[in-house]
Structures are given as structure tokens and as C-alpha cells.
Amino acid sequence: RLFDLDPDLLPLFQYNCKQFASPQECLSAPEFLDHIRKVMLVIDAAVSHLEDLPCLEEYLCNLGKKHQAVGVKVESFSTVGESLLYMLEKCLGAAFSPDVREAWTRLYGAVVKAMRRGWEPLPGGD
């Protein structure tokens, strides 16, 4: 769903200097699947530390810096969030109530907020 929502994200996923010709090629690449596992580990850490999200602040800030360094724009996290909610809705079905959606939206928002702190103004005033 990620590339359906924003096809311009595809070039950000380059592994070993290989650019994918299509979203399908990227989605089936072992490196992309590994990246998805890492994303889910971050989500899992946030869920596990729900009562103390500030303990993840430094880690998430550094993760934001890494994403900025490879050209990810903060706005792209909205698309990732939409994709996450879509996946949860498909997996949970009727259990994905408005309250559950709101809880996930808030959790993901907190993760992104912490990651945004890692973004530095780019040289040249951007």
C-alpha cells in the first residue's frame, strides 16, 4: 500500500546501490523485507514502552537523523502511518474499532514526533 499512496517513495529504497524498477520488485527484495522487520521492531518497542515512551526518545531521535541523511522527508511518515493503519485494519477486521484506530494513530504520532526531533535544518537554509 505504501507505494500505491506515494510512488515517489520507491527511489528511497535502494540497497547496495540498486534502484528498483517497480514497486513489486522492491516489495519482494530481502533487503526491503528486512527494513519492514526493523520498522515493526520500532513499533513493538513503542508498544512495549507505552507507559514510558520518553525512554525511547534518544533512539527515535537518532533514527530520525538516519532517515534524514538518506533523503527521507518528514512528510513521508504520514504515508507510512496510513499504510500501517491500513495493514492493521486488514489484519484485525472488525476488531479495528474507532478507539483502536485512535490508539494506534496516537502511538504512531508519538513515534514520529520523537523522530522529527532528529531532523536538523539542512545546510543552505532549507
mmCIF file of all heavy atoms in Angstrom, residues 6-39:
data_model
loop_
_atom_site.group_PDB
_atom_site.id
_atom_site.type_symbol
_atom_site.label_atom_id
_atom_site.label_comp_id
_atom_site.label_asym_id
_atom_site.label_seq_id
_atom_site.Cartn_x
_atom_site.Cartn_y
_atom_site.Cartn_z
ATOM 1 N N ASP A 6 2.123 6.652 -2.365
ATOM 2 C CA ASP A 6 3.160 7.605 -2.784
ATOM 3 C C ASP A 6 4.256 6.889 -3.570
ATOM 4 O O ASP A 6 5.265 6.462 -3.006
ATOM 5 C CB ASP A 6 3.764 8.317 -1.571
ATOM 6 C CG ASP A 6 4.668 9.472 -1.961
ATOM 7 O OD1 ASP A 6 4.980 9.628 -3.169
ATOM 8 O OD2 ASP A 6 5.076 10.221 -1.061
ATOM 9 N N PRO A 7 4.089 6.774 -4.886
ATOM 10 C CA PRO A 7 5.096 6.108 -5.723
ATOM 11 C C PRO A 7 6.469 6.782 -5.663
ATOM 12 O O PRO A 7 7.482 6.143 -5.932
ATOM 13 C CB PRO A 7 4.509 6.200 -7.143
ATOM 14 C CG PRO A 7 3.071 6.513 -6.967
ATOM 15 C CD PRO A 7 2.923 7.217 -5.655
ATOM 16 N N ASP A 8 6.506 8.055 -5.289
ATOM 17 C CA ASP A 8 7.782 8.770 -5.217
ATOM 18 C C ASP A 8 8.686 8.272 -4.089
ATOM 19 O O ASP A 8 9.850 8.662 -4.003
ATOM 20 C CB ASP A 8 7.556 10.278 -5.057
ATOM 21 C CG ASP A 8 6.945 10.899 -6.304
ATOM 22 O OD1 ASP A 8 7.111 10.324 -7.405
ATOM 23 O OD2 ASP A 8 6.299 11.954 -6.178
ATOM 24 N N LEU A 9 8.164 7.417 -3.217
ATOM 25 C CA LEU A 9 8.987 6.860 -2.142
ATOM 26 C C LEU A 9 9.896 5.733 -2.636
ATOM 27 O O LEU A 9 10.899 5.425 -2.002
ATOM 28 C CB LEU A 9 8.106 6.348 -0.998
ATOM 29 C CG LEU A 9 7.340 7.404 -0.215
ATOM 30 C CD1 LEU A 9 6.456 6.752 0.842
ATOM 31 C CD2 LEU A 9 8.291 8.391 0.424
ATOM 32 N N LEU A 10 9.563 5.133 -3.756
ATOM 33 C CA LEU A 10 10.316 3.974 -4.256
ATOM 34 C C LEU A 10 11.818 4.250 -4.366
ATOM 35 O O LEU A 10 12.621 3.429 -3.909
ATOM 36 C CB LEU A 10 9.744 3.497 -5.592
ATOM 37 C CG LEU A 10 10.385 2.240 -6.181
ATOM 38 C CD1 LEU A 10 10.219 1.045 -5.252
ATOM 39 C CD2 LEU A 10 9.781 1.935 -7.544
ATOM 40 N N PRO A 11 12.252 5.392 -4.921
ATOM 41 C CA PRO A 11 13.700 5.619 -5.041
ATOM 42 C C PRO A 11 14.448 5.694 -3.704
ATOM 43 O O PRO A 11 15.668 5.545 -3.661
ATOM 44 C CB PRO A 11 13.799 6.959 -5.773
ATOM 45 C CG PRO A 11 12.487 7.138 -6.455
ATOM 46 C CD PRO A 11 11.487 6.439 -5.591
ATOM 47 N N LEU A 12 13.729 5.924 -2.611
ATOM 48 C CA LEU A 12 14.394 5.974 -1.302
ATOM 49 C C LEU A 12 14.869 4.599 -0.853
ATOM 50 O O LEU A 12 15.753 4.489 -0.009
ATOM 51 C CB LEU A 12 13.453 6.556 -0.246
ATOM 52 C CG LEU A 12 13.110 8.025 -0.408
ATOM 53 C CD1 LEU A 12 12.062 8.430 0.623
ATOM 54 C CD2 LEU A 12 14.352 8.897 -0.294
ATOM 55 N N PHE A 13 14.274 3.560 -1.407
ATOM 56 C CA PHE A 13 14.626 2.198 -1.018
ATOM 57 C C PHE A 13 15.623 1.625 -2.017
ATOM 58 O O PHE A 13 15.260 0.950 -2.967
ATOM 59 C CB PHE A 13 13.376 1.324 -0.911
ATOM 60 C CG PHE A 13 12.467 1.764 0.192
ATOM 61 C CD1 PHE A 13 11.406 2.611 -0.063
ATOM 62 C CD2 PHE A 13 12.699 1.353 1.496
ATOM 63 C CE1 PHE A 13 10.568 3.036 0.956
ATOM 64 C CE2 PHE A 13 11.871 1.771 2.525
ATOM 65 C CZ PHE A 13 10.809 2.619 2.254
ATOM 66 N N GLN A 14 16.879 1.969 -1.806
ATOM 67 C CA GLN A 14 17.966 1.455 -2.633
ATOM 68 C C GLN A 14 18.904 0.692 -1.712
ATOM 69 O O GLN A 14 19.315 1.206 -0.680
ATOM 70 C CB GLN A 14 18.719 2.594 -3.304
ATOM 71 C CG GLN A 14 17.888 3.375 -4.282
ATOM 72 C CD GLN A 14 18.705 4.456 -4.947
ATOM 73 O OE1 GLN A 14 19.899 4.308 -5.160
ATOM 74 N NE2 GLN A 14 18.047 5.547 -5.279
ATOM 75 N N TYR A 15 19.222 -0.499 -2.091
ATOM 76 C CA TYR A 15 20.113 -1.324 -1.291
ATOM 77 C C TYR A 15 21.286 -1.729 -2.172
ATOM 78 O O TYR A 15 21.089 -2.172 -3.296
ATOM 79 C CB TYR A 15 19.387 -2.562 -0.759
ATOM 80 C CG TYR A 15 18.123 -2.204 0.001
ATOM 81 C CD1 TYR A 15 16.881 -2.281 -0.600
ATOM 82 C CD2 TYR A 15 18.192 -1.741 1.311
ATOM 83 C CE1 TYR A 15 15.730 -1.938 0.090
ATOM 84 C CE2 TYR A 15 17.048 -1.387 2.006
ATOM 85 C CZ TYR A 15 15.819 -1.492 1.395
ATOM 86 O OH TYR A 15 14.678 -1.147 2.075
ATOM 87 N N ASN A 16 22.486 -1.529 -1.658
ATOM 88 C CA ASN A 16 23.699 -1.827 -2.438
ATOM 89 C C ASN A 16 23.683 -1.118 -3.783
ATOM 90 O O ASN A 16 24.020 -1.694 -4.806
ATOM 91 C CB ASN A 16 23.861 -3.342 -2.628
ATOM 92 C CG ASN A 16 23.915 -4.080 -1.320
ATOM 93 O OD1 ASN A 16 24.540 -3.619 -0.376
ATOM 94 N ND2 ASN A 16 23.243 -5.214 -1.245
ATOM 95 N N CYS A 17 23.233 0.135 -3.751
ATOM 96 C CA CYS A 17 23.186 0.997 -4.942
ATOM 97 C C CYS A 17 22.255 0.467 -6.036
ATOM 98 O O CYS A 17 22.342 0.872 -7.185
ATOM 99 C CB CYS A 17 24.574 1.239 -5.518
ATOM 100 S SG CYS A 17 25.677 2.060 -4.368
ATOM 101 N N LYS A 18 21.365 -0.442 -5.688
ATOM 102 C CA LYS A 18 20.424 -0.983 -6.669
ATOM 103 C C LYS A 18 19.113 -0.221 -6.567
ATOM 104 O O LYS A 18 18.529 -0.111 -5.496
ATOM 105 C CB LYS A 18 20.157 -2.460 -6.413
ATOM 106 C CG LYS A 18 19.169 -3.031 -7.392
ATOM 107 C CD LYS A 18 18.822 -4.459 -7.105
ATOM 108 C CE LYS A 18 17.856 -4.907 -8.178
ATOM 109 N NZ LYS A 18 17.091 -6.034 -7.869
ATOM 110 N N GLN A 19 18.687 0.330 -7.694
ATOM 111 C CA GLN A 19 17.395 1.007 -7.732
ATOM 112 C C GLN A 19 16.378 0.044 -8.339
ATOM 113 O O GLN A 19 16.638 -0.602 -9.352
ATOM 114 C CB GLN A 19 17.478 2.280 -8.568
ATOM 115 C CG GLN A 19 16.246 3.120 -8.440
ATOM 116 C CD GLN A 19 16.505 4.563 -8.818
ATOM 117 O OE1 GLN A 19 17.627 4.967 -9.037
ATOM 118 N NE2 GLN A 19 15.459 5.331 -8.912
ATOM 119 N N PHE A 20 15.231 -0.057 -7.704
ATOM 120 C CA PHE A 20 14.213 -0.989 -8.159
ATOM 121 C C PHE A 20 13.424 -0.405 -9.321
ATOM 122 O O PHE A 20 13.092 0.776 -9.333
ATOM 123 C CB PHE A 20 13.272 -1.352 -7.009
ATOM 124 C CG PHE A 20 13.976 -2.070 -5.903
ATOM 125 C CD1 PHE A 20 14.256 -1.423 -4.704
ATOM 126 C CD2 PHE A 20 14.388 -3.380 -6.050
ATOM 127 C CE1 PHE A 20 14.920 -2.076 -3.673
ATOM 128 C CE2 PHE A 20 15.058 -4.045 -5.031
ATOM 129 C CZ PHE A 20 15.322 -3.391 -3.842
ATOM 130 N N ALA A 21 13.101 -1.263 -10.281
ATOM 131 C CA ALA A 21 12.358 -0.835 -11.458
ATOM 132 C C ALA A 21 10.870 -0.713 -11.187
ATOM 133 O O ALA A 21 10.166 0.018 -11.870
ATOM 134 C CB ALA A 21 12.600 -1.830 -12.601
ATOM 135 N N SER A 22 10.397 -1.409 -10.169
ATOM 136 C CA SER A 22 8.963 -1.389 -9.882
ATOM 137 C C SER A 22 8.733 -1.588 -8.390
ATOM 138 O O SER A 22 9.593 -2.145 -7.693
ATOM 139 C CB SER A 22 8.252 -2.511 -10.647
ATOM 140 O OG SER A 22 8.619 -3.770 -10.105
ATOM 141 N N PRO A 23 7.563 -1.161 -7.917
ATOM 142 C CA PRO A 23 7.239 -1.433 -6.507
ATOM 143 C C PRO A 23 7.255 -2.923 -6.191
ATOM 144 O O PRO A 23 7.720 -3.323 -5.128
ATOM 145 C CB PRO A 23 5.834 -0.849 -6.345
ATOM 146 C CG PRO A 23 5.746 0.220 -7.378
ATOM 147 C CD PRO A 23 6.563 -0.302 -8.543
ATOM 148 N N GLN A 24 6.796 -3.749 -7.120
ATOM 149 C CA GLN A 24 6.744 -5.195 -6.883
ATOM 150 C C GLN A 24 8.148 -5.761 -6.670
ATOM 151 O O GLN A 24 8.358 -6.618 -5.812
ATOM 152 C CB GLN A 24 6.054 -5.926 -8.050
ATOM 153 C CG GLN A 24 4.586 -5.612 -8.192
ATOM 154 C CD GLN A 24 4.311 -4.213 -8.775
ATOM 155 O OE1 GLN A 24 5.146 -3.619 -9.446
ATOM 156 N NE2 GLN A 24 3.132 -3.685 -8.479
ATOM 157 N N GLU A 25 9.104 -5.265 -7.459
ATOM 158 C CA GLU A 25 10.484 -5.723 -7.312
ATOM 159 C C GLU A 25 11.025 -5.343 -5.928
ATOM 160 O O GLU A 25 11.671 -6.146 -5.260
ATOM 161 C CB GLU A 25 11.353 -5.107 -8.409
ATOM 162 C CG GLU A 25 12.774 -5.599 -8.408
ATOM 163 C CD GLU A 25 13.647 -4.942 -9.457
ATOM 164 O OE1 GLU A 25 13.182 -4.038 -10.183
ATOM 165 O OE2 GLU A 25 14.823 -5.333 -9.531
ATOM 166 N N CYS A 26 10.735 -4.136 -5.497
ATOM 167 C CA CYS A 26 11.170 -3.675 -4.178
ATOM 168 C C CYS A 26 10.507 -4.496 -3.075
ATOM 169 O O CYS A 26 11.171 -4.950 -2.142
ATOM 170 C CB CYS A 26 10.842 -2.189 -4.002
ATOM 171 S SG CYS A 26 11.350 -1.507 -2.406
ATOM 172 N N LEU A 27 9.196 -4.690 -3.183
ATOM 173 C CA LEU A 27 8.442 -5.393 -2.146
ATOM 174 C C LEU A 27 8.904 -6.827 -1.937
ATOM 175 O O LEU A 27 8.735 -7.382 -0.862
ATOM 176 C CB LEU A 27 6.948 -5.369 -2.478
ATOM 177 C CG LEU A 27 6.281 -3.997 -2.408
ATOM 178 C CD1 LEU A 27 4.874 -4.055 -2.984
ATOM 179 C CD2 LEU A 27 6.269 -3.462 -0.994
ATOM 180 N N SER A 28 9.488 -7.424 -2.961
ATOM 181 C CA SER A 28 9.936 -8.810 -2.828
ATOM 182 C C SER A 28 11.426 -8.925 -2.500
ATOM 183 O O SER A 28 11.918 -10.031 -2.278
ATOM 184 C CB SER A 28 9.621 -9.587 -4.112
ATOM 185 O OG SER A 28 10.332 -9.028 -5.201
ATOM 186 N N ALA A 29 12.126 -7.809 -2.428
ATOM 187 C CA ALA A 29 13.556 -7.842 -2.130
ATOM 188 C C ALA A 29 13.800 -8.183 -0.661
ATOM 189 O O ALA A 29 13.142 -7.630 0.224
ATOM 190 C CB ALA A 29 14.193 -6.493 -2.464
ATOM 191 N N PRO A 30 14.734 -9.072 -0.391
ATOM 192 C CA PRO A 30 15.029 -9.435 1.003
ATOM 193 C C PRO A 30 15.418 -8.216 1.855
ATOM 194 O O PRO A 30 15.071 -8.147 3.025
ATOM 195 C CB PRO A 30 16.194 -10.414 0.893
ATOM 196 C CG PRO A 30 16.183 -10.895 -0.512
ATOM 197 C CD PRO A 30 15.542 -9.840 -1.338
ATOM 198 N N GLU A 31 16.116 -7.262 1.247
ATOM 199 C CA GLU A 31 16.533 -6.068 1.987
ATOM 200 C C GLU A 31 15.333 -5.223 2.409
ATOM 201 O O GLU A 31 15.315 -4.668 3.513
ATOM 202 C CB GLU A 31 17.487 -5.199 1.137
ATOM 203 C CG GLU A 31 18.761 -5.890 0.742
ATOM 204 C CD GLU A 31 18.668 -6.667 -0.572
ATOM 205 O OE1 GLU A 31 17.553 -6.845 -1.109
ATOM 206 O OE2 GLU A 31 19.724 -7.097 -1.064
ATOM 207 N N PHE A 32 14.331 -5.143 1.544
ATOM 208 C CA PHE A 32 13.129 -4.385 1.884
ATOM 209 C C PHE A 32 12.363 -5.099 2.997
ATOM 210 O O PHE A 32 11.889 -4.464 3.939
ATOM 211 C CB PHE A 32 12.226 -4.186 0.659
ATOM 212 C CG PHE A 32 11.011 -3.355 0.955
ATOM 213 C CD1 PHE A 32 11.091 -1.978 1.055
ATOM 214 C CD2 PHE A 32 9.782 -3.958 1.161
ATOM 215 C CE1 PHE A 32 9.979 -1.211 1.343
ATOM 216 C CE2 PHE A 32 8.652 -3.197 1.449
ATOM 217 C CZ PHE A 32 8.753 -1.814 1.537
ATOM 218 N N LEU A 33 12.267 -6.406 2.888
ATOM 219 C CA LEU A 33 11.583 -7.182 3.934
ATOM 220 C C LEU A 33 12.301 -7.032 5.275
ATOM 221 O O LEU A 33 11.656 -6.936 6.322
ATOM 222 C CB LEU A 33 11.472 -8.651 3.518
ATOM 223 C CG LEU A 33 10.617 -8.896 2.262
ATOM 224 C CD1 LEU A 33 10.696 -10.360 1.846
ATOM 225 C CD2 LEU A 33 9.198 -8.448 2.465
ATOM 226 N N ASP A 34 13.629 -6.960 5.240
ATOM 227 C CA ASP A 34 14.390 -6.726 6.457
ATOM 228 C C ASP A 34 14.091 -5.332 7.020
ATOM 229 O O ASP A 34 13.952 -5.162 8.224
ATOM 230 C CB ASP A 34 15.888 -6.884 6.184
ATOM 231 C CG ASP A 34 16.714 -6.812 7.443
ATOM 232 O OD1 ASP A 34 16.399 -7.542 8.405
ATOM 233 O OD2 ASP A 34 17.681 -6.017 7.472
ATOM 234 N N HIS A 35 13.952 -4.356 6.134
ATOM 235 C CA HIS A 35 13.610 -2.991 6.564
ATOM 236 C C HIS A 35 12.238 -2.979 7.246
ATOM 237 O O HIS A 35 12.064 -2.342 8.282
ATOM 238 C CB HIS A 35 13.621 -2.038 5.366
ATOM 239 C CG HIS A 35 13.435 -0.618 5.746
ATOM 240 N ND1 HIS A 35 14.487 0.225 5.999
ATOM 241 C CD2 HIS A 35 12.320 0.122 5.947
ATOM 242 C CE1 HIS A 35 14.026 1.420 6.333
ATOM 243 N NE2 HIS A 35 12.711 1.374 6.308
ATOM 244 N N ILE A 36 11.299 -3.701 6.681
ATOM 245 C CA ILE A 36 9.951 -3.786 7.266
ATOM 246 C C ILE A 36 10.025 -4.424 8.658
ATOM 247 O O ILE A 36 9.360 -3.966 9.590
ATOM 248 C CB ILE A 36 8.996 -4.582 6.352
ATOM 249 C CG1 ILE A 36 8.794 -3.845 5.030
ATOM 250 C CG2 ILE A 36 7.657 -4.847 7.039
ATOM 251 C CD1 ILE A 36 8.261 -2.442 5.160
ATOM 252 N N ARG A 37 10.846 -5.458 8.806
ATOM 253 C CA ARG A 37 11.026 -6.073 10.127
ATOM 254 C C ARG A 37 11.554 -5.048 11.129
ATOM 255 O O ARG A 37 11.115 -4.995 12.275
ATOM 256 C CB ARG A 37 11.983 -7.261 10.047
ATOM 257 C CG ARG A 37 11.334 -8.528 9.557
ATOM 258 C CD ARG A 37 12.312 -9.708 9.648
ATOM 259 N NE ARG A 37 12.044 -10.643 8.586
ATOM 260 C CZ ARG A 37 12.558 -10.616 7.347
ATOM 261 N NH1 ARG A 37 13.420 -9.710 7.020
ATOM 262 N NH2 ARG A 37 12.218 -11.506 6.452
ATOM 263 N N LYS A 38 12.485 -4.202 10.695
ATOM 264 C CA LYS A 38 13.043 -3.180 11.575
ATOM 265 C C LYS A 38 11.982 -2.149 11.958
ATOM 266 O O LYS A 38 11.928 -1.716 13.112
ATOM 267 C CB LYS A 38 14.232 -2.503 10.908
ATOM 268 C CG LYS A 38 15.441 -3.404 10.803
ATOM 269 C CD LYS A 38 16.569 -2.725 10.033
ATOM 270 C CE LYS A 38 17.749 -3.661 9.847
ATOM 271 N NZ LYS A 38 18.799 -3.046 9.027
ATOM 272 N N VAL A 39 11.153 -1.776 10.999
ATOM 273 C CA VAL A 39 10.058 -0.839 11.294
ATOM 274 C C VAL A 39 9.145 -1.447 12.351
ATOM 275 O O VAL A 39 8.763 -0.786 13.324
ATOM 276 C CB VAL A 39 9.252 -0.491 10.020
ATOM 277 C CG1 VAL A 39 7.984 0.271 10.360
ATOM 278 C CG2 VAL A 39 10.115 0.304 9.044
#
